[in-house]
Amino acid sequence: MRIAKAMARAGLCSRREAERWIADGRVNVNGQVLTTPAVEVKPKDRVLVDGRPLPVAEPARLWRYNKPKGVVTTHNDPQGRPTVFDSLPPDLPRVISVGRLDFNTEGLILLTNDGELARHLELPATGWLRRYRVRAKGRVNAPELEALKDGVEIEGVRYGPVEVAIDTMQGANTWLTVGIREGKNREVRKVLAHLGLEVNRLIRVSFGPFQLLDLKPGEAESVKRRVLADQLGAELAEQFGLLDDREEKPQAKKPGFKKVRAVKERDVNERGDNDHGRKSYGGKEQSDRRSPPQRDGKPRSAGGRKGTFQKGGPRKDRREKP
């Protein structure tokens, strides 16, 4: 495994940050300071970061976090502004963000202890829609918004398809719902400015299948491992250590008839013929009692000839003697 990937999997930083740390001489492998990230490390190699052993990678975890307005999504800000990570709940381990929101944007951010998981989720190739509620000054018409579905080029930068719907109009402002999949720097603000709209409030309300819901600003809530595993699929869930002996792998398909039938047949085999004289045939229970005798190819009724049988054996002929 490449050293930058190993550092990201351990939750120290993103892969990109790991490369910068290596360039700064902060990483040592088997007593040698690295100068390039093009180094493979093995489980037995001794890796030190800032003089401390590389932490053992733990199973990946994910949190939903409501980012307040007026903080930046970075661990260290050169301008000294407050960061998301300065005021996280104390019970969270060291985490990194899945993508970023700018200083004045609020709403949902996903946090994880696994840099490789963060990298996977934030890639446009993942295809997850980021949805925003936007308040903007100005007016826009439907044809202009419809044209954004094919993407737009602004100042030499090509933006992918953008979904925009008008919700309400309040005075000089318009509330819209905007959906994007790439998440380029200040993408929503730039696309709407291209239409003559000035964004004065921007709230991310969902990231793929994960939603902001009723989280208050500054609150974080853990996503259940089972939920995350189902969203990633079996292969990635296993790669990120989301499965253990107590949890079955997420099913690509619903269990089929063969599995259900096998359970029934096993239950029948365990029950055997001692279940009150009943046997199972094709999943249906039938009595072990023999069928009534037949005569001339036709079934003979249990009662037989009238007056022949009664409970407790044959009865005497009741005809009067002459």
Side-chain angles (χ1 to χ4, degrees), residues 36-175:
T36 173
V39 174
E40 296 281 336
V41 292
K42 300 177 182 179
K44 293 184 179 181
D45 288 336
R46 180 172 172 76
V47 180
L48 300 178
V49 179
D50 293 334
R52 299 179 180 178
L54 186 68
V56 177
E58 296 182 356
R61 295 183 62 190
L62 191 71
W63 289 264
R64 296 183 301 115
Y65 175 74
N66 188 347
K67 173 192 175 296
K69 182 179 179 180
V71 295
V72 292
T73 315
T74 182
H75 284 277
N76 297 292
D77 181 57
Q79 302 178 34
R81 294 173 296 181
T83 77
V84 164
F85 306 98
D86 292 336
S87 56
L88 289 178
D91 57 332
L92 261 66
R94 191 184 192 284
V95 293
I96 58 178
S97 64
V98 179
R100 298 186 178 187
L101 293 179
D102 63 39
F103 185 75
N104 289 317
T105 301
E106 55 194 292
L108 181 65
I109 279 187
L110 297 181
L111 304 173
T112 176
N113 61 340
D114 191 306
E116 279 300 294
L117 177 60
R119 181 174 181 272
H120 171 77
L121 296 181
E122 67 190 12
L123 287 176
T126 305
W128 280 357
L129 186 71
R130 288 89 153 158
R131 197 175 296 278
Y132 298 79
R133 285 270 291 151
V134 187
R135 187 181 66 192
K137 184 178 180 180
R139 293 287 185 269
V140 67
N141 57 52
E144 290 178 312
L145 299 181
E146 187 71 21
L148 295 177
K149 292 184 177 181
D150 298 325
V152 61
E153 185 172 329
I154 304 172
E155 298 179 355
V157 178
R158 183 69 188 179
Y159 296 94
V162 182
E163 302 175 10
V164 185
I166 298 176
D167 297 328
T168 59
M169 296 183 182
Q170 298 177 344
N173 292 317
T174 301
W175 277 98

Side-chain angles (χ1 to χ4, degrees), residues 41 88 101 112 124 156 178 185-186 194 200 203 223 229 250:
V41 292
L88 289 178
L101 293 179
T112 176
V178 180
N185 184 37
R186 300 178 64 83
H194 179 70
N200 49 47
I203 311 164
V223 175

